Amino acid sequence: MTAPTETLTLSEATDLLHRAFAASGAPEPVALSVARALVAAEAEGQVGHGFSRLTDYVAQMQAGKVRADATPELTRTGPAALHVDAGFGFAYPAMDLGIEAGLGAAQEYGTASVAISRSHHCGALSVQVDRIARAGMVGLMVANTPKAMAPWGAKTPLFGTNPIAFSAPRPDGPPLVIDLSLSNVARGKVMNAKKTGQPIPEGWALDRDGNPTTDPEAALAGSMVPIGGAKGTALALMVEVLAAVLTGAQFSSEMSSFLSAEGPPPGAGQFLLIMRPGDPAAFAARIETLLSQIAAMDGARLPGQRRLAALAKSQAEGLTIPRAYTDAARAMAVAAS
């Protein structure tokens, strides 16, 4: 039986989440930043980072696990090296601050780095690097997440799914955006399957004994399957160094869950590189040469095409969201109004 859904325009969805977060105690700018990020993820088809996060976020606000009133603080550790202390608040305002400052520094110096610590779940990285590319820059972002993936050959999770995202501007049309989790799928999809009562495909996760499972609850108690076997966990280690060691954030193994209100603030880390092409016209010509070669090959598909198709559909037709999520949002907004 299919769960009932509701269709909202992007602006209606943003307004609903904005009101729900504001009524639940988030300051207006924070509520709007979080709402915009969740709707942007939902519009891309990344439902595990969209409306499904609302009740978890609000429960964590109420428990003090995320400090909704935190004000991110920016410091410069070098001319183009920036650090943002998220103050155990939501990641989105910290990323807003860091990206804005990082774009300015990259414009002046050519390259800027942004290290974010004492942060929280940062949702769809594609949303953030897309902003960088639309400003004419090349973007690279990594983030660490609570432990969910074992080192190759082991059974006990140590790394998060530790996503990586990349973006580059194109002279005509939307940027090239690549966003991938280092597990076969993002853990948020498993969480969403659990909330909606659906099984997961085999190959996504292992249970706590290391056996393949289609039960999302067993998967969340076990570990995610890495992409590319041992290569996936090697990449996860690289992300851990950039997002936790370099930023001073918690290791994945030290972080509390993004999915429950129990435990202390997770203290996650994010790291971004923002790079200005030295010759924008030459860069534009060369990237189009490369991408056109791929597009001309039979059977080849440029990364990010499903994302662009989902965005186009969302903009034209709105978002189709489980009614359980929209009902919860309205109840939150009404209860505190």
Side-chain angles (χ1 to χ4, degrees):
M1 181 177 178
T2 303
T5 61
E6 178 178 359
T7 300
L8 300 176
T9 66
L10 298 182
S11 61
E12 288 171 341
T14 302
D15 177 68
L16 176 58
L17 286 181
H18 180 196
R19 290 188 290 110
F21 281 115
S24 299
E28 282 290 329
V30 173
L32 184 58
S33 177
V34 176
R36 284 173 171 166
L38 297 193
V39 170
E42 191 85 40
E44 293 185 355
Q46 298 211 47
V47 296
H49 296 311
F51 265 74
S52 65
R53 294 282 174 169
L54 171 64
T55 55
D56 290 333
Y57 279 7
V58 170
Q60 290 176 47
M61 286 169 52
Q62 293 171 343
K65 187 171 181 176
V66 60
R67 299 173 185 169
D69 61 351
T71 300
E73 295 183 0
L74 175 73
T75 57
R76 290 180 181 266
T77 56
L82 311 176
H83 179 263
V84 180
D85 181 351
F88 295 127
F90 283 110
Y92 306 111
M95 291 188 295
D96 291 344
L97 177 62
I99 289 174
E100 181 180 3
L103 289 171
Q107 185 62 44
E108 183 175 0
Y109 295 105
T111 301
S113 64
V114 181
I116 302 174
S117 63
R118 297 208 303 167
S119 191
H120 193 257
H121 174 251
C122 67
L125 275 63
S126 53
V127 171
Q128 308 304 327
V129 297
D130 181 86
R131 296 163 60 186
I132 294 170
R134 290 184 185 277
M137 308 282 187
V138 176
L140 178 68
M141 179 177 178
V142 297
N144 77 332
T145 63
K147 63 181 181 181
M149 196 163 63
W152 189 248
K155 294 181 181 179
T156 303
L158 180 70
F159 303 125
T161 55
N162 289 10
I164 299 173
F166 172 84
S167 66
R170 299 183 66 180
D172 299 304
L176 170 68
V177 174
I178 301 169
D179 182 3
L180 53 95
S181 167
L182 296 182
S183 54
N184 273 343
V185 297
R187 200 162 186 248
K189 290 186 177 181
V190 179
M191 180 269 289
N192 188 60
K194 178 185 175 182
K195 288 187 174 183
T196 55
Q198 300 174 10
I200 60 173
E202 190 166 318
W204 279 18
L206 308 174
D207 63 20
R208 65 173 68 249
D209 296 319
N211 300 312
T213 183
T214 59
D215 179 352
E217 191 162 351
L220 291 171
S223 62
M224 303 296 292
V225 174
I227 61 169
K231 295 178 181 180
T233 54
L235 287 170
L237 174 57
M238 291 167 56
V239 171
E240 195 76 11
V241 172
L242 291 172
V245 178
L246 192 60
T247 66
Q250 294 277 71
F251 293 126
S252 291
S253 60
E254 299 172 321
M255 292 164 60
S256 59
S257 174
F258 289 153
L259 305 178
S260 78
E262 298 175 356
Q270 292 97 35
F271 181 78
L272 301 95
L273 280 178
I274 302 173
M275 297 158 275
R276 171 175 53 80
D279 184 337
F283 179 88
R286 287 179 60 77
I287 195 169
E288 287 309 303
T289 297
L290 175 62
L291 299 183
S292 64
Q293 289 174 343
I294 299 171
M297 294 181 177
D298 289 341
R301 179 177 60 85
L302 286 176
Q305 296 306 297
R306 281 197 294 265
R307 171 181 173 270
L308 292 176
L311 280 171
K313 182 178 180 181
S314 297
Q315 290 162 356
E317 302 175 13
L319 302 175
T320 301
I321 304 161
R323 187 169 289 277
Y325 295 159
T326 56
D327 286 350
R330 289 194 178 93
M332 290 176 190
V334 169
S337 63

